[in-house]
Amino acid sequence: SATGNYSVVTTASNGCTSSSAIVQVTIISSSTILTAQGVTSFCDGGSVVLSSIFSSGNQWFYEGMPLPGETAQQYTARDSGWYYVGVWVNNSWMYSDSVLIKVYSAPEVPMANDTVACKGSSIVLSPVIVSGVSYRWYDSAFNGTLLYSGTQFPTPPIIANTTYYVEAVSINGCPSAGR
């Protein structure tokens, strides 16, 4: 009743013993059939690979419905919902426990107004505030240096035309698609 290596030892009436070959036994239950190869909660655009312990005979399911043509050992989940795998073994179906995948949406790209400032002065920039969203300010539209985190960015003294970029971040840590 446990995973391990087993053999059978027999003893004849004359006291002689013989042993069978060692056989590896693996206990399979619904909780051991499916594994997620990563986190099961992620931002939109992400994914997680789900794996069956069986190399063949698989059928992947999403929200209780079979996924047409999805019979490989692995399936890449990209949508929120419940997933499981059915496996055809010894002329019957065996089903895994379900795993819940959560995909979090990113907030909209934040909007901020252009502002005019006198040379050498500092200003405070603010985006249009959305509840449940935090803001990060950068010096570049892509990559760049994080300059400030918060809703009101106090700029350094302005000495030339300068552009700052704001990114919105959801409560789940998902950044907006742009700045």
Side-chain angles (χ1 to χ4, degrees):
S1 66
T3 295
N5 295 321
Y6 294 91
S7 65
V8 175
V9 177
T10 57
T11 304
S13 59
N14 64 4
C16 294
T17 61
S18 65
S19 297
S20 69
I22 294 174
V23 176
Q24 182 180 19
V25 175
T26 303
I27 303 299
I28 298 171
S29 69
S30 61
S31 65
T32 62
I33 295 173
L34 183 154
T35 57
Q37 307 299 312
V39 297
T40 57
S41 297
F42 46 84
C43 298
D44 194 21
S47 64
V48 64
V49 174
L50 305 177
S51 294
S52 167
I53 62 170
F54 293 94
S55 60
S56 63
N58 297 294
Q59 173 60 61
W60 290 95
F61 290 79
Y62 171 69
E63 295 292 315
M65 300 298 295
L67 291 163
E70 297 298 341
T71 58
Q73 186 172 8
Q74 296 184 326
Y75 177 77
T76 302
R78 293 180 175 85
D79 297 314
S80 288
W82 291 96
Y83 291 83
Y84 65 94
V85 65
V87 185
W88 185 252
V89 178
N90 297 328
N91 293 319
S92 66
W93 284 101
M94 180 183 303
Y95 296 96
S96 71
D97 287 350
S98 295
V99 62
L100 177 61
I101 304 300
K102 293 182 182 178
V103 179
Y104 299 114
S105 60
E108 296 292 323
V109 175
M111 301 301 291
N113 293 324
D114 290 341
T115 304
V116 176
C118 295
K119 186 175 183 173
S121 66
S122 295
I123 56 174
V124 175
L125 300 176
S126 297
V128 175
I129 306 295
V130 175
S131 178
V133 173
S134 61
Y135 298 91
R136 298 189 289 215
W137 298 83
Y138 292 86
D139 61 358
S140 176
F142 303 99
N143 299 321
T145 302
L146 175 63
L147 302 173
Y148 184 78
S149 292
T151 56
Q152 297 188 336
F153 170 45
T155 69
I158 305 294
I159 55 174
N161 286 344
T162 307
T163 302
Y164 294 102
Y165 301 86
V166 62
E167 172 181 75
V169 181
S170 73
I171 195 166
N172 297 307
C174 300
S176 55
R179 298 179 187 160

